[in-house]
């Protein structure tokens, strides 16, 4: 390590180099880091002197990485990223009072938000930070301790899983829709009504043809209708009386129980999958993270 100590520049020099290489402008890098343009330029000059090679080509009002500079930039960016994420994990495990949870917008809106008051009352010393995304993030790569994932262990071999709710799906609509259009008497009758389709772009999801086929009806009979690629917007459309949609029980049971929505037909499609609280097997689950994980797994009902 002694030779490494003499070979590597200071941490401040590496940080200044990363910002300059990313922004390709010493002034902008200085503004981001709270340094002057001259201080950034001096840090780069010292690096170039230490390595005996040019890292940047200076041009009017901008700079460009040289070939050696570009290679070094890629390695520095990767190294600093790993250091940052590792430091964040250490800080969290050393007594930080917040836990970040990755979830879909639908899960955050329809499942977590209605339970936030309970969370505050039962876990008053922990701050929950919800990070929504239109696709499932790589928890380890993003440095996120917990996520909500649909599937089973075979689908996610790199994750530990605690089941929260089985995947159960049924049709639903608003009382307003029933007042206007009547109640379907059979599953076949659904095909004569306005169906709202979820076009899920990133996560696998049961469709109307899938649901009808599971109920013993030709899925091709499902009429074309309103198509939306966001489940929160699907549910909002249902609440407004725009049609009938598929309801995932763990997200919509609350709206059914309080009368905002109404279940249609007795058939429930049970896929055999579940929704789970997940964590990367490469990361140890301790402290507040373990407390939040276990709390989430126990909240299957109101």
């Amino acid at each position: 390590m002694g030779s490494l100590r003499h070979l590597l520049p200071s941490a401040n020099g590496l940080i200044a180099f990363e910002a300059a290489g990313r922004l390709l402008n010493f002034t902008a890098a200085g503004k981001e880091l709270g340094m002057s343009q001259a201080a950034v330029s001096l840090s780069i000059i010292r690096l170039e002197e230490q390595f005996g090679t040019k890292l940047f080509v200076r041009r009017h009002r901008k700079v460009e990485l040289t070939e050696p500079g570009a290679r070094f930039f890629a390695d520095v960016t990767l190294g600093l990223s790993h250091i940052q994420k590792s430091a964040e994990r250490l800080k969290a495990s050393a007594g930080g009072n917040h836990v970040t949870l990755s979830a879909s917008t639908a899960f955050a809106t329809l499942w977590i938000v209605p339970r936030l008051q309970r969370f505050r009352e039962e876990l008053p010393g922990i701050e929950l930070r919800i990070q929504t995304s239109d696709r499932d993030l790589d928890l380890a790569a993003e440095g996120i301790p917990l996520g909500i994932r649909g599937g089973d262990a075979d689908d996610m071999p790199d994750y530990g899983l605690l089941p929260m709710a089985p995947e159960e799906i049924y049709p639903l609509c608003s009382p307003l829709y029933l007042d206007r259009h009547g109640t379907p008497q059979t599953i076949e009758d659904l095909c004569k009504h306005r169906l709202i389709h979820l076009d899920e772009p990133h996560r696998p999801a049961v469709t109307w043809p899938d649901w009808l086929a599971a109920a013993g009806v030709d899925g091709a009979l499902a009429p074309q209708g309103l198509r939306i690629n966001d489940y929160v917007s699907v549910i909002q459309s249902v609440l407004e009386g725009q049609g009938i949609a598929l309801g995932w029980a763990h997200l919509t049971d609350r709206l059914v129980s309080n009368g905002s929505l109404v279940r249609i037909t007795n058939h429930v499609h049970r896929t055999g999958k579940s929704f789970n609280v997940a964590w990367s097997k490469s990361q140890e689950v301790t402290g507040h993270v373990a407390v939040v994980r276990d709390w989430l797994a126990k909240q299957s009902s109101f």
Side-chain angles (χ1 to χ4, degrees), residues 237-285:
S237 297
V238 176
L239 289 167
E240 296 294 336
Q242 299 301 316
I244 302 173
L246 293 175
W248 272 257
H250 69 293
L251 300 180
T252 56
D253 275 356
R254 181 182 65 91
L255 297 172
V256 171
S257 65
N258 67 23
S260 299
L261 296 177
V262 179
R263 286 181 56 170
I264 306 298
T265 80
N266 293 322
H267 179 70
V268 178
H269 179 32
R270 296 177 173 87
T271 66
K273 302 286 187 178
S274 62
F275 290 88
N276 315 274
V277 56
W279 63 95
S280 172
K281 290 180 178 178
S282 66
Q283 297 177 347
E284 187 178 5
V285 179

Side-chain angles (χ1 to χ4, degrees), residues 14-217:
L14 289 176
I15 292 170
F17 170 74
E18 187 279 332
R22 175 165 39 84
L23 300 171
L24 297 179
N25 185 294
F26 288 175
T27 301
K31 187 176 296 186
E32 179 180 288
L33 298 174
M35 302 168 60
S36 67
Q37 183 272 345
V40 173
S41 180
L42 180 59
S43 294
I44 301 303
I45 289 172
R46 287 174 176 168
L47 285 179
E48 291 175 329
E49 290 175 346
Q50 183 172 356
F51 294 136
T53 187
K54 288 290 185 183
L55 300 174
F56 289 95
V57 177
R58 278 74 168 172
R59 303 194 186 281
H60 182 59
R61 294 189 176 180
K62 69 173 185 176
V63 295
E64 296 177 1
L65 286 162
T66 63
E67 185 176 342
R71 290 197 301 269
F72 188 55
F73 174 76
D75 291 337
V76 168
T77 300
L78 182 63
L80 289 178
S81 174
H82 284 313
I83 292 170
Q84 179 183 5
K85 290 172 182 175
S86 181
E88 289 172 348
R89 287 194 292 268
L90 283 172
K91 185 176 180 181
S93 65
N97 68 343
H98 72 271
V99 174
T100 301
L101 175 70
S102 168
S104 67
T105 302
F107 190 89
T109 304
L110 299 172
W111 196 98
I112 296 177
V113 170
R115 290 172 169 82
L116 280 179
Q117 184 57 38
R118 182 188 297 178
F119 181 91
R120 296 188 187 101
E121 291 171 355
E122 296 182 3
L123 303 180
I126 302 176
E127 175 189 344
L128 184 64
R129 297 183 180 177
I130 305 167
Q131 184 166 331
T132 61
S133 173
D134 61 357
R135 67 186 70 209
D136 291 336
L137 301 176
D138 184 325
L139 299 181
E142 297 294 332
I144 299 174
L146 297 174
I148 304 301
R149 298 289 183 267
D152 54 33
D154 290 338
D155 301 322
M156 298 168 280
D158 295 331
Y159 288 115
L161 303 174
L162 271 182
M164 299 176 64
E167 184 172 34
E168 299 180 344
I169 307 164
Y170 51 75
L172 44 66
C173 67
S174 69
L176 176 62
Y177 180 87
L178 293 182
D179 288 343
R180 291 174 176 173
H181 304 285
T183 303
Q185 299 303 309
T186 65
I187 292 174
E188 289 81 357
D189 282 348
L190 283 170
C191 299
K192 303 173 185 176
H193 282 258
R194 298 176 182 174
L195 302 187
I196 300 175
H197 299 259
L198 171 64
D199 281 342
E200 172 56 63
H202 300 296
R203 298 177 176 95
V206 171
T207 64
W208 268 113
D210 296 333
W211 190 91
L212 289 168
V217 175

Side-chain angles (χ1 to χ4, degrees), residues 3-15:
S3 60
L4 184 62
R5 177 173 175 267
H6 293 291
L7 176 63
L8 289 180
S10 69
N12 287 339
L14 289 176
I15 292 170

Side-chain angles (χ1 to χ4, degrees), residues 220-234:
L221 296 177
Q224 295 298 313
L226 179 62
R227 310 189 78 88
I228 305 176
N229 68 353
D230 172 72
Y231 193 62
V232 174
S233 299
V234 167

